[in-house]
RNA sequence: GCCGGCGUGGCGAAACUGGCAGACGCAAGGGACUUAAAAUCCCUCGGCCUUUGGCCAUACGGGUUCGAGCCCCGUCGCCGGUACCA
């Protein structure tokens, strides 16, 4: 009988579905395990071959845990990615809901086809009012606790989505989603005070098991730095406050710089001799997009505020004040003291504007360049700091500032508050109304959910107003507080809102009276293992940690952190069809002939296809035609092969290229298993010839799954199968193999399990145990080195002592020859591994 | 620039805490079976040489060590994150 993967896979998927094999049970007495993956955005293109990588990985973990006796929660849902869905809907004249529903149906079909052990009954839909009722509820709690506020400020404006973006959504001055340029606009926005949680978001990383690169990226993004705030007196009497991490260099501060948006400028407007020039600069800075600001970063610009000067508190010198867009309004105090001798940016600016540069730390040549890495230098030209080390000077200066009430220690964070409103239709309405008398008033909780109204036209508008703003019937309402006329907030929430707490809803998806029931949250507690993409490290992951901490503070959840463990997968890349190495041999030959040499051929390819052609491995893209569709792979090879290959192709954490012809190897592996087990075997004990290999494989596969070394786990299973071809397996041997294979290739495992007549289902069998003693041999082949060089190998009894090992090694014919005329100076024995004989010629 | 990570055969990759480099798979070559092909099974497979053996090989140059892919110093290259954050 042939391995008919298509019908086998269908058969078992249907059975799992009907019997609800993977349903998690709330309150069950078994130990619980909660595995979580990031849902796919249900885009119109369907599943990408990259999706199954993290899903298969955690499916393997979830399946193993069930076999180990855990009550496993492994849920899935679809969270709408608002702007793309809406854009697609606009383009195709459809309602966003229809688009989302179609996409979800397609994704569900595709995911089911891959045999993931999701509990499909816990699907949640963040766009369902029953769900977003609770998203709105959480927002209201934040509002009531002062964590949501409306503020007018320059925001990132995507010129294509016609919508405000959070800082985290802007990549190099372009929109993270659509790639259009982002400009700055002054707008009144709802903000969430994530900055209030900055320190806790850093500190609590110590208590969770996240892979290191996730922790570092989060810490870098939050960007804590310790320094001092220093107050400079000005000739106008107003105090100009700055932040500096280098208080020690205060004697070298020769001028000040304020951000063009700094509030004091308005206050000083009357006094400024060059007000027109200042105004012009301010306007130009406001017009620049983020991209332009960074592009032009080498060329410093600025305008002096003529008529106002600051006084250096330690030297008493009057120094000029400039405005320049190299100082950011949103960080620190929006103003700096410039120390050109020891800061590259200040140095450039000082050179351009001919400002004095005073060296205060000895060691560099401050006429040539700023001396920045000067931690080990000694203070000079610095009055009472002279002769001190930098470290000492910082401390001394901080004390001096405090004593004179001119400054204090201060911690700053790069993290900004989260811009939370979007001028889009397709999002959760913000449940607040504005009343002339009472201000912003929350809706009573009994009125939640505030439904998104049906609307004919949901295109974004150019004036930056949400499409909801035109719906007078909806907008005009009464104030819940005073009963007077009021208007609803017309901006909606960003797509990150619903996804900031969705993992809680899985615990209790149908609860109408709470976002998650008390019993449910106490039972499931927190996510045990969450795997997701690195691209969400500074977005979703940070946002959801923030929301969770807030929910912890108001007593809704019992843990400070939502996820006990976080891992991340590498991307699936494709081969570049334009790269020389990936061309068919005949084509390579032809090009080499035509262009004289391989180098010539490569040069030609780069000329023809651009720089890109020099990279053999690239992201999959439609234009290169190297996109792999999982449907096709499943059709040709089956889901089990796809799952096995995607786990086998390389280190899970690293990017790896998809190679079509390598998939065959995994199909062959499954074929070979099929051939071994399609006929009923005899003997329920492990066969003597295979026993040791089986114990070793159980150990290795188990450990590898825990460490996400799926590729070597499969390699080890392949070796076991090869072993079974040498030594015919018993029915017991096959049973062990099938249980180990079952998390990776669950369908074929079930089918063969049934054919062998084992009880129940393979996915419900107990995970096999190994006996450490049985994983080892009685003998061991070890390396024999002479003077550190490998000469031969010998077989020793396992765990033999040093003397025995040296005896066996020196008795070897070849070693004997090498020892001729030499004497043994030293021996090094590494137990069960190697012996190294140090020989010297006899005199 | 700064912060992470990486660099190993024709290819994807293994290699624990410093201990036989290249497990496992792809491609390639040879053989068996077959009228033939596919499939399957078996063998070979880093390079070089004077081939019962020897030498060289883990981006490059040094170092530590009995012993280095792994540790240290320096250089080059690639990937990811971040960027006028004072």
């Amino acid at each position: 009988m042939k391995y008919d993967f298509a019908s086998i896979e269908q058969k078992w998927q249907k059975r799992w579905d009907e019997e609800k094999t993977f349903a998690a049970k709330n309150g069950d007495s078994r130990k619980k395990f909660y595995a979580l993956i990031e849902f796919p955005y249900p885009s119109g293109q369907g599943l990408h071959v990259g999706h199954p990588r993290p899903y298969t990985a955690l499916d393997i973990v979830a399946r193993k845990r069930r076999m180990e006796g855990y009550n496993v929660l492994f849920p899935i849902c679809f969270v709408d990615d608002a702007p793309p869905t809406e854009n697609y809907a606009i383009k195709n004249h459809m309602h966003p809901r229809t688009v989302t529903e179609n996409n979800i149906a397609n994704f569900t079909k595709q995911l089911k086809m891959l045999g993931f052990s999701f509990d499909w009954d816990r699907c949640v839909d963040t766009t369902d009012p029953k769900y977003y009722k609770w998203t709105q509820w959480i927002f209201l709690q934040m509002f009531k606790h002062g964590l949501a506020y409306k503020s007018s400020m320059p925001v990132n404006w995507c010129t294509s989505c016609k919508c405000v973006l959070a800082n985290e959504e802007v990549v190099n001055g372009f929109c993270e989603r659509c790639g259009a340029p982002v400009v700055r606009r002054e707008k009144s926005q709802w903000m969430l005070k994530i900055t209030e949680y900055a320190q806790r978001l850093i500190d609590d990383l110590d208590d969770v098991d996240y892979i290191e690169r996730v922790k570092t990226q989060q810490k870098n993004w939050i960007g804590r730095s310790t320094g001092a705030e220093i107050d400079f007196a000005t000739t106008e009497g107003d105090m100009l406050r700055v932040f500096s991490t280098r208080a020690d260099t205060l004697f070298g501060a020769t001028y000040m710089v304020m951000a063009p948006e700094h509030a004091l400028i308005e206050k000083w407007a009357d006094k400024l001799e060059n007000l027109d020039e200042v105004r012009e600069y301010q306007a130009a800075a406001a017009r620049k997009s983020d991209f332009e600001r960074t592009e032009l970063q080498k060329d410093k610009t600025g305008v002096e505020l003529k008529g106002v000067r600051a006084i250096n508190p330690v030297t008493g010198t009057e120094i000029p004040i400039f405005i320049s867009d190299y100082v950011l309004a949103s960080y620190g105090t929006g103003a700096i003291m410039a120390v050109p001798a020891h800061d590259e940016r200040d140095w450039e600016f000082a050179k351009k504007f001919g400002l004095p540069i005073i060296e205060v730390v000895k060691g560099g040549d401050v006429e040539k360049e700023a001396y920045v890495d000067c931690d080990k230098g000694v203070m000079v030209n610095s009055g009472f700091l002279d002769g001190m080390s930098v470290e000492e000077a910082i401390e001394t200066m901080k004390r001096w500032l405090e004593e004179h009430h001119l400054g204090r220690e201060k911690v700053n964070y790069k993290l900004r508050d989260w811009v939370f409103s979007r001028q889009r239709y397709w999002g959760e309405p913000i449940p607040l109304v504005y009343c002339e008398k009472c201000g912003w008033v929350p809706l009573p909780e009994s009125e939640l959910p505030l439904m998104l109204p049906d609307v004919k036209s949901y295109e974004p508008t150019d004036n930056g107003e949400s499409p909801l703003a035109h719906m007078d019937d909806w907008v005009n309402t009464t104030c819940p507080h005073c009963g007077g006329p009021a208007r609803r907030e017309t901006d909606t929430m960003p797509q990150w809102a619903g996804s900031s707490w969705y993992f809680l809803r899985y615990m209790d998806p149908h609860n109408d009276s709470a976002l998650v029931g008390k019993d449910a949250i106490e039972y499931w507690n927190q996510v045990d293992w969450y795997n997701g993409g690195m691209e969400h490290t500074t977005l979703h992951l940070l946002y959801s940690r923030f929301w969770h901490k807030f929910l912890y503070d108001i007593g809704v959840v019992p843990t400070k952190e939502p996820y006990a463990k976080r891992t991340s997968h590498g991307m699936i890349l494709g081969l570049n069809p334009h790269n020389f190495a990936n061309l068919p041999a005949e084509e390579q030959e032809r090009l080499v002939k035509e262009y004289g040499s391989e180098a010539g051929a490569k040069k030609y390819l780069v000329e023809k296809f651009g720089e890109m052609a020099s990279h053999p491995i690239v992201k999959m893209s439609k234009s290169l035609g190297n996109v792999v569709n999982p449907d096709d792979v499943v059709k040709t090879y089956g889901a089990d092969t796809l799952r096995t290959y995607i786990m086998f192709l390389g280190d899970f954490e690293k990017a790896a290229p998809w190679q079509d012809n390598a998939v065959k190897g995994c199909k062959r592996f499954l074929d070979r298993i099929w051939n071994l087990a399609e006929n009923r075997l005899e003997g329920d004990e492990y066969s003597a010839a295979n026993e040791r290999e089986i114990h070793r494989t159980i150990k290795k596969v188990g450990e590898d799954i825990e460490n996400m070394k799926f590729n070597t786990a499969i390699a080890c299973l392949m070796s076991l199968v090869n072993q079974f071809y040498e030594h015919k397996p018993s029915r017991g041997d096959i049973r062990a193999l099938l249980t180990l294979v079952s998390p990776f290739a669950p369908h074929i495992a079930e089918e063969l399990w049934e054919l062998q007549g084992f009880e129940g289902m393979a996915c419900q069998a107990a995970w096999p145990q190994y006996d450490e003693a049985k994983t080892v041999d009685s003998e061991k082949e070890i390396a024999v080195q002479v003077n550190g060089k490998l000469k031969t190998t010998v077989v020793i009894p396992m765990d033999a002592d040093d003397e025995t090992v040296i005896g066996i090694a020196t008795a070897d014919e070849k070693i004997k020859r090498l020892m001729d005329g030499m004497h043994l100076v030293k021996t090094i024995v590494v137990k069960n591994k190697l012996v190294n004989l140090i020989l010297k010629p006899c005199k």
Side-chain angles (χ1 to χ4, degrees):
Chain A
M1 200 168 52
K2 220 178 130 257
Y3 164 40
D4 179 4
F5 57 83
S7 63
I8 289 171
E9 288 173 1
Q10 223 180 0
K11 166 182 166 186
W12 289 100
Q13 282 162 19
K14 192 163 164 245
R15 213 155 131 200
W16 293 329
D17 227 24
E18 285 167 0
E19 297 185 12
K20 298 197 185 299
T21 311
F22 307 118
K25 292 186 191 70
N26 279 19
D28 192 274
S29 62
R30 287 171 294 171
K31 286 172 290 180
K32 67 96 191 182
F33 183 78
Y34 185 175
L36 184 65
I37 44 108
E38 284 168 352
F39 47 79
Y41 295 127
S43 74
Q45 282 130 39
L47 220 56
H48 178 267
V49 79
H51 283 116
R53 198 183 202 193
Y55 300 170
T56 308
L58 276 212
D59 190 46
I60 289 166
V61 173
R63 285 173 175 273
K64 175 167 180 267
R65 285 287 183 282
R66 286 194 199 92
M67 294 168 81
E68 288 169 329
Y70 286 82
N71 178 26
V72 172
L73 172 54
F74 185 40
I76 177 89
C77 76
F78 304 97
V79 173
D80 183 49
D81 186 19
T85 302
E86 205 177 79
N87 292 344
Y88 182 88
I90 291 165
K91 220 186 199 162
N92 295 283
H93 310 290
M94 294 161 82
H95 191 280
R97 173 149 300 283
T98 321
V99 173
T100 303
E101 276 166 7
N102 290 350
N103 290 346
I104 288 176
N106 185 36
F107 268 69
T108 305
K109 193 193 95 223
Q110 287 188 303
L111 288 171
K112 288 201 171 178
M113 143 194 115
L114 290 167
F116 298 128
S117 63
F118 294 128
D119 181 348
W120 287 96
D121 290 341
R122 290 179 187 248
C123 261
V124 301
D125 172 3
T126 59
T127 62
D128 181 344
K130 280 187 188 151
Y131 180 96
Y132 70 65
K133 168 181 177 176
W134 298 107
T135 309
Q136 292 174 333
W137 182 87
I138 297 169
F139 177 83
L140 280 188
Q141 307 315 306
M142 288 191 154
F143 178 79
K144 288 173 187 168
H145 285 81
L147 288 172
Y149 63 97
K150 197 156 200 190
S151 159
S152 182
M153 61 176 302
V155 292
N156 306 302
W157 177 263
C158 173
T159 48
S160 162
C161 299
K162 291 171 182 165
C163 177
V164 162
L165 302 178
N167 277 324
E168 289 81 352
E169 293 170 300
V170 182
V171 178
N172 290 330
F174 292 93
C175 172
E176 187 229 9
R177 280 262 148 240
C178 75
V182 173
V183 296
R184 260 201 295 259
R185 271 203 185 181
E186 183 82 11
K187 276 198 69 69
S188 180
Q189 298 293 318
W190 282 103
M191 308 285 293
L192 295 185
K193 271 193 201 163
I194 189 171
T195 50
E196 199 151 289
Y197 284 73
Q199 192 59 49
R200 289 168 65 187
L201 287 167
I202 295 174
D203 291 344
D204 293 348
L205 285 174
D206 291 342
D207 303 330
V208 288
D209 176 19
Y210 287 11
I211 52 170
E212 214 44 50
R213 57 195 170 126
V214 169
K215 286 192 184 182
T216 2
Q217 248 182 60
Q218 288 216 342
K219 281 182 199 160
N220 289 347
W221 185 260
I222 297 168
R224 178 194 155 101
S225 63
T226 316
E229 274 183 354
I230 306 173
D231 298 334
F232 281 65
T234 63
T235 50
E236 282 311 302
D238 298 291
M239 175 260 288
L240 181 55
R241 180 171 286 180
V242 301
F243 172 74
S244 173
T245 53
R246 294 293 306 276
D248 57 307
T249 61
L250 184 50
F251 282 89
T254 54
Y255 65 100
M256 317 278 294
V257 187
M258 295 159 73
E261 301 89 350
H262 200 286
L264 272 180
I265 301 169
E266 285 318 304
K267 200 171 171 202
W268 293 338
D270 300 344
K271 308 280 167 24
L272 295 177
E273 294 158 18
N274 57 341
L275 185 62
D276 290 349
E277 203 188 349
V278 170
R279 289 271 185 250
E280 198 179 308
Y281 187 83
Q282 284 180 311
R287 251 183 281 118
K288 278 188 198 173
S289 68
D290 280 8
F291 181 67
E292 285 169 313
R293 270 205 179 194
T294 47
E295 263 294 87
L296 300 169
Q297 77 180 229
K298 274 178 199 101
D299 190 25
K300 296 277 179 292
T301 58
V303 173
E304 186 179 350
L305 298 182
K306 291 190 175 138
V308 188
R309 289 172 86 77
I311 295 142
N312 184 319
V314 282
T315 62
T317 326
E318 272 194 15
I319 56 176
I321 305 174
F322 287 78
I323 59 169
S324 172
D325 63 5
Y326 88 85
V327 171
L328 305 175
S330 48
Y331 183 75
T333 62
I336 61 154
M337 64 178 205
V339 184
H342 303 286
D343 182 284
E344 240 172 83
R345 297 152 301 179
D346 297 347
W347 190 89
E348 274 171 40
F349 192 87
K351 276 285 169 195
K352 182 160 175 184
F353 288 86
L355 295 157
I357 298 171
I358 300 174
E359 178 185 53
V360 288
V361 185
K362 218 173 164 54
D365 179 356
V366 300
E367 279 312 307
K368 285 217 186 79
E369 58 176 1
Y371 180 44
V372 180
D373 290 321
C374 55
D375 317 10
K376 291 190 184 84
V378 177
M379 305 305 297
V380 291
N381 301 326
S382 291
F384 59 88
L385 299 178
D386 278 351
M388 289 184 188
S389 69
V390 166
E391 211 180 314
E392 215 181 337
I394 291 180
E395 287 315 307
T396 311
M397 182 56 87
K398 274 185 194 165
R399 252 179 285 125
W400 187 91
L401 288 167
E402 265 164 39
E403 278 161 21
H404 293 78
H405 305 288
L406 288 171
R408 59 217 66 78
E409 187 164 283
K410 169 81 181 171
V411 172
N412 263 328
Y413 302 90
K414 285 195 226 172
L415 185 69
R416 310 290 154 78
D417 276 341
W418 174 4
V419 181
F420 195 68
S421 23
R422 297 291 181 277
Q423 295 67 44
R424 303 285 294 203
Y425 166 68
W426 195 230
E428 301 88 341
I430 292 175
L432 295 171
V433 301
Y434 186 76
C435 166
E436 289 296 339
K437 246 199 303 196
C438 314
W440 285 106
V441 180
L443 287 188
E445 283 171 24
S446 59
E447 283 182 31
L448 298 183
L450 170 60
M451 302 278 282
L452 187 64
D454 266 326
V455 62
K456 277 203 196 83
S457 156
Y458 44 82
E459 277 87 351
T461 59
D462 282 318
N463 64 7
E465 280 210 320
S466 162
L468 290 177
H470 310 303
M471 303 197 63
D472 292 338
D473 291 354
W474 187 78
V475 172
N476 293 318
T477 182
T478 51
C479 172
H481 193 240
C482 71
R487 287 175 62 83
R488 291 190 196 281
E489 171 59 59
T490 55
D491 285 356
T492 53
M493 299 188 195
Q495 75 267 34
W496 310 109
S499 64
S500 288
W501 70 279
Y502 75 111
F503 53 92
L504 294 173
R505 193 65 179 168
Y506 284 142
M507 297 174 178
D508 195 10
H510 310 297
N511 194 326
D512 281 333
S513 58
L515 63 95
V516 53
K518 261 218 137 21
D519 292 350
I521 182 72
E522 265 161 29
Y523 181 77
W524 293 109
N525 190 251
Q526 68 178 157
V527 175
D528 293 289
W529 189 337
Y530 190 14
N531 185 87
M534 285 307 288
E535 71 275 18
H536 288 128
T537 304
T538 52
L539 289 158
H540 160 65
L541 197 66
L542 198 62
Y543 291 157
S544 60
R545 289 183 61 219
F546 159 50
W547 276 40
H548 199 81
K549 286 181 184 308
F550 170 69
L551 292 174
Y552 172 78
D553 289 347
I554 62 169
V556 175
V557 298
T559 59
K560 288 182 188 170
E561 286 286 333
Y563 323 114
K565 175 174 178 150
R566 169 79 178 190
T567 57
S568 204
H569 54 275
M571 248 194 299
I572 299 290
L573 304 173
L575 296 181
N576 184 351
H578 302 322
N579 182 266
F580 184 81
N582 296 330
L583 296 176
E586 317 85 71
E587 182 65 5
Q588 288 185 353
E589 265 171 56
R590 196 183 68 76
L591 287 176
V592 169
K593 215 180 261 173
E594 198 172 333
Y595 295 93
S597 64
E598 202 176 297
K602 286 178 180 168
K603 205 176 144 199
Y604 156 77
L605 288 168
V606 169
E607 272 163 22
K608 182 163 177 197
F609 299 108
E611 223 321 42
M612 236 243 204
S614 58
H615 300 278
I617 293 166
V618 292
K619 278 187 194 168
M620 287 186 184
S621 75
K622 267 193 197 150
S623 59
L624 286 175
N626 60 358
V627 177
V628 177
N629 179 348
D631 293 44
D632 298 339
V633 182
V634 170
K635 209 169 281 169
T636 318
Y637 297 104
D640 282 338
T641 298
L642 172 61
R643 292 170 58 113
T644 309
Y645 175 65
I646 205 122
M647 288 294 104
F648 180 66
L649 90 176
D651 185 332
F652 179 68
E653 295 200 54
K654 290 193 195 126
W658 178 277
Q659 296 194 91
D660 265 326
N661 60 10
V663 182
K664 270 185 270 182
C666 291
K667 174 63 164 46
R668 250 174 235 162
F669 164 61
L670 298 181
D671 281 335
R672 280 161 68 81
I673 295 177
W674 182 264
N675 293 340
L676 282 171
E678 63 173 325
N679 296 313
R680 185 77 73 95
L681 293 156
E682 295 298 321
D684 286 343
E685 303 297 314
Y686 291 154
S687 64
N690 292 325
E691 184 176 28
R692 196 178 57 246
E693 259 341 285
I694 291 171
H695 280 280
R696 279 185 187 166
T697 307
I698 295 170
K699 181 179 182 195
K700 173 87 175 143
V701 170
E703 288 171 358
D704 279 355
I705 290 176
E706 297 308 319
N707 297 320
M708 299 201 304
K709 301 275 175 206
F710 305 105
N711 52 339
T712 49
I714 292 167
C716 183
L717 287 167
M718 287 172 169
S719 296
L720 185 64
V721 168
N722 293 346
Q723 158 93 12
F724 285 179
Y725 270 73
E726 269 172 57
H727 303 284
K728 191 174 191 299
S730 68
R731 185 164 169 264
D733 294 350
I734 282 294
R735 190 190 154 100
L737 175 68
L738 293 179
T739 50
L740 295 175
V741 162
S742 149
F744 297 88
H747 311 87
I748 191 176
E750 293 299 353
E751 186 67 18
L752 292 171
W753 188 263
E754 194 178 62
L755 281 172
Q756 288 297 323
F758 296 123
E759 72 292 353
M761 278 196 246
C763 65
Q764 292 168 325
W767 188 254
Q769 302 290 308
Y770 66 90
D771 180 346
E772 184 71 48
K774 288 185 178 160
T775 62
V776 290
D777 214 336
S778 61
E779 291 186 324
K780 183 85 206 274
E781 189 183 68
I782 66 159
V784 183
Q785 296 183 339
V786 171
N787 295 338
K789 288 217 170 228
L790 178 73
K791 290 299 167 186
T792 188
T793 61
V794 293
V795 174
I796 57 151
M798 185 57 87
D799 296 333
D801 58 32
D802 293 7
E803 236 172 279
T804 317
V805 171
I806 293 163
I808 294 169
T810 49
D812 181 87
E813 279 306 317
K814 191 173 168 189
I815 299 300
K816 263 196 218 163
R817 274 204 308 277
L818 288 163
M819 288 177 75
D820 206 25
M822 310 284 272
H823 79 135
L824 191 57
V825 204
K826 193 179 171 186
T827 55
I828 294 131
V829 179
V830 182
K831 202 174 179 186
N832 295 331
K833 288 238 164 97
L834 142 160
V835 54
N836 188 5
L837 309 168
I838 311 303
L839 301 180
K840 272 198 179 148
C842 298
K843 279 178 191 153

